[in-house]
Amino acid sequence: MNQTILLTQQQDGILCLTLNRPDVMNAFNWALLHALEAEVNRIRFESDIRVVIITGAGDKAFCSGADLKERATYTPDQVKIYIFTIRNLFTAIEELGKPVICAVNGIALGGGTELALASDIRIASTRAVMGLTETRLAVIPGAGGTQRLPRLVGRGKAKEMIFSGKRVDAAEALSIGLVNQVCEPEELMGAAWKMAAEFCKSGPIAVQQAKYAINHGMETDLGTGLAIESNAYWTCIPTEDRLEGLAAFREKRSPVFKGR
């Protein structure tokens, strides 16, 4: 992995990944795309990592999407490969068995907003501007935006945003449910780390199974969703962590979960 283009910071079970191309608004070129892909693959089964935070370097942009200067050099087949890769990467982030918090520190357009949509939680700086602007370039969102945005903000609002390429500021993003929380720029990362620390207090297998049940159950009818929830619950029953949680409650102490 290129440590320069993707910065990593790990502490107390939390891994922070920082897209580090601030001179081009942290746009995704092939190198950054592959660096993030490699890191997601690396941590998939790392039990020491409980929560992931993704943010962008600098105070201007989270991620402006694809690096359009590089994209202009692609052949049509290379564009297809790029879209296939970024779509699969964002799906891998969405399906990662750990909570993913996106700290949107500035402009997040196109693929930047799609990366945020693939995350579990979105916390935005008051400087954040978000939008799926691809139709302004005569293409459509290709990394999941047409599917994840309407599931989050509703079909009508998603169509309005995508058809027009509309950008929304942090306040509007909060009002339509696109983000969970808005902070002053200097408080953004503190808020993300604080939320991540709260998640770390919960049983990691339970959190993993809860995420699975929510993600997959929401795509089905209620009966099937309840069955998915039931199976996810059964996975938690034989774990050491469940017994530790009960013991800690009985002994009036904080539990020490080990992810097994």
Side-chain angles (χ1 to χ4, degrees), residues 192-223:
W193 280 88
K194 180 179 179 181
M195 183 178 289
E198 286 297 313
F199 292 167
C200 284
K201 295 177 182 178
S202 300
I205 296 174
V207 171
Q208 179 189 53
Q209 291 303 310
K211 176 174 176 175
Y212 181 89
I214 293 168
N215 282 0
H216 293 276
M218 286 293 293
E219 301 305 314
T220 69
D221 61 272
L222 179 59

Side-chain angles (χ1 to χ4, degrees), residues 177-247:
L178 180 54
V179 300
N180 299 68
Q181 182 180 343
V182 174
C183 301
E184 293 300 323
E186 63 274 13
E187 298 172 354
L188 176 66
M189 293 311 298
W193 280 88
K194 180 179 179 181
M195 183 178 289
E198 286 297 313
F199 292 167
C200 284
K201 295 177 182 178
S202 300
I205 296 174
V207 171
Q208 179 189 53
Q209 291 303 310
K211 176 174 176 175
Y212 181 89
I214 293 168
N215 282 0
H216 293 276
M218 286 293 293
E219 301 305 314
T220 69
D221 61 272
L222 179 59
T224 304
L226 290 172
I228 291 171
E229 178 186 85
S230 180
N231 287 334
Y233 196 110
W234 299 161
T235 299
C236 300
I237 291 176
T239 64
E240 293 179 22
D241 282 351
R242 186 182 71 87
L243 298 178
E244 166 63 11
L246 292 173

Side-chain angles (χ1 to χ4, degrees), residues 28-30 67 70-79 82:
F28 275 112
N29 62 358
W30 269 117
D67 186 329
E70 183 180 84
R71 175 75 69 84
T73 67
Y74 292 177
T75 66
D77 283 344
Q78 288 174 324
V79 174
Y82 179 95

Side-chain angles (χ1 to χ4, degrees), residues 77-91:
D77 283 344
Q78 288 174 324
V79 174
K80 291 179 182 179
I81 295 170
Y82 179 95
I83 294 298
F84 180 84
T85 302
I86 195 171
R87 182 188 300 120
N88 286 349
L89 170 58
F90 290 179
T91 297

Side-chain angles (χ1 to χ4, degrees), residues 59-127:
D59 57 7
K60 184 177 180 181
F62 168 67
C63 175
S64 62
D67 186 329
L68 295 181
K69 288 185 178 179
E70 183 180 84
R71 175 75 69 84
T73 67
Y74 292 177
T75 66
D77 283 344
Q78 288 174 324
V79 174
K80 291 179 182 179
I81 295 170
Y82 179 95
I83 294 298
F84 180 84
T85 302
I86 195 171
R87 182 188 300 120
N88 286 349
L89 170 58
F90 290 179
T91 297
I93 289 171
E94 183 177 50
E95 295 180 350
L96 192 65
K98 312 168 191 292
V100 179
I101 300 171
C102 187
V104 185
N105 56 301
I107 294 171
L109 302 177
T113 287
E114 289 179 301
L115 173 55
L117 290 170
S119 302
D120 297 298
I121 306 290
R122 289 152 292 280
I123 304 177
S125 159
T126 54
R127 295 176 181 167

Side-chain angles (χ1 to χ4, degrees), residues 44-59:
R44 187 178 307 281
F45 301 109
E46 287 285 340
S47 59
D48 290 343
I49 298 172
R50 303 274 298 278
V51 182
V52 178
I53 299 171
I54 302 176
T55 192
D59 57 7

